């Protein structure tokens, strides 16, 4: 089974996510873009879906999969904060 990907990335100074060629933007922070991408991905039915964070060097990290249990709003915020902290290190 193939996996559809929501890709979170930064373009110029704004954060965005894309899915199947559609771009949703702008977001003022990476955390906001991640949270919105996970929320949108959680609504896709009938397919395996993943949210991928792509950095400026085009390295990708899968940060959420539809096969995971749904995250609470607090868990989503914590995940975004952890990713932000790890990227600053």
């Amino acid at each position: 089974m193939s996996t559809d990907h929501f890709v979170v990335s930064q373009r110029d100074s704004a954060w965005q996510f894309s899915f199947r060629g559609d771009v949703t933007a702008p977001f003022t922070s990476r955390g906001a873009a991640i949270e919105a991408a996970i929320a949108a991905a959680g609504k896709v039915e009938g397919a395996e879906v993943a949210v991928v964070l792509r950095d400026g060097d085009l390295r990708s990290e899968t940060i959420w999969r539809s096969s995971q249990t749904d995250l609470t709003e607090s868990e989503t915020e914590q995940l975004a904060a952890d990713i932000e902290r790890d990227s600053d290190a």
Side-chain angles (χ1 to χ4, degrees):
M1 175 183 230
S2 66
T3 302
D4 290 328
H5 295 91
F6 282 74
V7 179
V8 177
S9 60
Q10 188 175 26
R11 182 175 175 102
D12 300 321
S13 62
W15 285 91
Q16 64 183 24
F17 73 83
S18 59
F19 180 65
R20 295 184 176 170
D22 292 328
V23 176
T24 303
F27 296 93
T28 57
S29 70
R30 178 173 40 190
I34 289 169
E35 187 175 325
I38 290 172
K43 294 178 183 175
V44 174
E45 294 184 19
E48 178 72 18
V49 182
V51 175
V52 175
L53 177 62
R54 183 164 293 148
D55 69 15
D57 295 326
L58 299 179
R59 289 180 296 213
S60 298
E61 175 185 359
T62 300
I63 57 175
W64 183 87
R65 291 187 182 278
S66 59
S67 57
Q68 291 177 260
T69 57
D70 289 338
L71 299 176
T72 65
E73 185 174 329
S74 174
E75 289 170 327
T76 302
E77 290 172 4
Q78 183 61 48
L79 174 63
D82 290 346
I83 292 167
E84 185 79 29
R85 184 185 62 249
D86 290 346
S87 71
D88 291 341

